[in-house]
Structures are given as structure tokens and as C-alpha cells.
Amino acid sequence: METGPCFQPTQTAAKGGPCNAIDLLYWRNVKQSGAVFSSVLLLLFSLTQFSVVSVGAYLALAALSATISFRIYKSVLQAVQKTDEGHPFKAYLEMEIALSQDQISKYADKILLYSNTCMKELRRLFLVQDLVDSLKFAVLMWLLTYVGALFNGLTLLILAVVSMFTMPVVYEKHQAQIDQYVGLIRTQVNSVVGKIQAKIPGAKRKEE
């Protein structure tokens, strides 16, 4: 299967468009990726020390302090230089930010699709439509109980963010070696699952 244009190494953030998220994760623009990465980590670490309400209030105060200070500075500068440049944020105030009916419908349709898919999959797993898949899900939930005992949700989110900004770059540089090890692990897992399937009555998948 051919790789999409968003995953090509030559893609740059300067081109814009829907590949911006990929560019950030692959550090195509070091300054932009660094700014986003550090900002998200700072926010998450702040949430480990303060409540969501406090962090939100402090962020709002910081933003207001910056905008009010800049507005006062520009007003004083215009008064001293006797210019009539107008409101410094005029372009942003006139920018259209409302969601259209089409956009709302599109996002609502996507949410509805994902919700229905998720509910159908959970029903299939909990009602044991396929014994092997339900056993895999049970093992995953069992492992998550140990993960939850070691980390809270916020810590896992921080680890996820760090992984998102490091693993793509590592994989890009060492793709051949990683694919080789993943292939070996996948072969071993499939072999073990096959042996378990053969020994558990009713666990063998029906042929399509």
C-alpha cells in the first residue's frame, strides 16, 4: 500500500494544510514542534500541581495580562507618535470564528459514527461473539489494572504526549530495525495465540 503524502520525509510545515499535525510530530519545524511540545507538557505538569480550575484561571490571567499590556502600549505609542493605526487586534476581532452548520453536521456525523462503532465493538466483546477477541480484551483489561496501580490518568497522558513527540522520529531513523523486531514479536504472539486457540474448545475462528 502506498504511503500518503502526509508521511513523506520531505513534507514541511511551511506548506500548511492537513499535514501540520504530522509535521509537528516529526519535528519538520523544530521551533514549532518545540513550542507545542513544551506548552503541552507545561500545561500537563501544571495540572499535576494545581486543579483544572486554577490552571485555567492562571492561563486566562496570563493571556489577559499580555493582551491588555500590548493594547495599552500601542495606545500610548499612537498618542506619542500621533498616529491613527486603530485597535491593534482589529484584524483578529473581525475574523470569522463561528462554526458553520455544515461543519457542525460533519463533526456530529463523525462523533455519531465513532460512538456507534465503539458501542458495537464493546457489545461484541462483552457478549463473547468471538471467544479469542474477548479473551484478548480481558487480558488487556487485566494489564490495565496494573498500569492504573502504577500511574494515574494524568501521568499516562504525559507519557503519551512524550511518546507522540519522540517515537515517530525514532521510528523514522531506525525503521528497518524496528520493523524487523516487531515482525519477530508478531510472529511469536501469533504462534502462542494459535496454540491457545487449538487447545480451547470453541476458540477457533470460523473460516470466512
Side-chain angles (χ1 to χ4, degrees):
M1 186 174 72
E2 292 184 0
T3 306
C6 293
F7 299 92
Q8 295 298 329
T10 56
Q11 186 73 25
T12 59
K15 294 181 180 180
C19 295
N20 282 340
I22 300 298
D23 293 326
L24 287 174
L25 297 181
Y26 279 90
W27 296 77
R28 304 297 185 222
N29 187 311
V30 177
K31 291 183 178 179
Q32 288 184 3
S33 297
V36 174
F37 182 48
S38 58
S39 299
V40 173
L41 274 187
L42 179 62
L43 175 61
L44 293 176
F45 278 121
S46 299
L47 290 174
T48 62
Q49 303 297 322
F50 306 99
S51 67
V52 176
V53 176
S54 298
V55 173
Y58 281 126
L59 289 175
L61 284 173
L64 281 171
S65 299
T67 54
I68 291 172
S69 300
F70 185 71
R71 173 71 193 279
I72 294 174
Y73 167 75
K74 293 296 290 186
S75 298
V76 172
L77 193 63
Q78 290 175 24
V80 172
Q81 296 180 349
K82 297 180 180 181
T83 59
D84 188 20
E85 297 180 2
H87 199 290
F89 301 117
K90 183 179 179 181
Y92 297 101
L93 290 171
E94 294 177 350
M95 187 181 298
E96 182 63 39
I97 60 173
L99 289 173
S100 65
Q101 188 64 38
D102 292 338
Q103 289 176 316
I104 294 175
S105 298
K106 182 178 69 173
Y107 295 138
D109 290 341
K110 287 184 178 180
I111 293 173
L112 183 62
L113 176 62
Y114 293 147
S115 299
N116 290 337
T117 303
C118 182
M119 288 190 294
K120 289 179 180 178
E121 184 66 15
L122 289 174
R123 180 184 65 181
R124 189 181 71 85
L125 292 170
F126 279 104
L127 298 183
V128 200
Q129 179 178 343
D130 186 292
L131 182 57
V132 175
D133 287 343
S134 295
L135 287 174
K136 288 179 180 178
F137 185 66
V139 172
L140 176 61
M141 293 299 102
W142 176 69
L143 292 174
L144 286 179
T145 61
Y146 287 93
V147 173
L150 296 174
F151 308 101
N152 58 30
L154 200 54
T155 304
L156 290 175
L157 189 57
I158 292 173
L159 293 175
V161 171
V162 173
S163 299
M164 286 171 59
F165 278 87
T166 54
M167 293 184 68
V169 178
V170 173
Y171 177 73
E172 187 177 44
K173 291 182 177 178
H174 307 282
Q175 184 174 354
Q177 297 92 321
I178 294 174
D179 286 344
Q180 181 180 1
Y181 291 129
V182 170
L184 292 174
I185 294 173
R186 185 178 299 169
T187 301
Q188 293 296 324
V189 170
N190 290 337
S191 176
V192 172
V193 171
K195 292 178 181 178
I196 295 174
Q197 266 184 263
K199 293 181 179 180
I200 299 178
K204 190 174 182 180
R205 293 179 183 272
K206 294 180 179 179
E207 293 184 2
E208 298 291 339

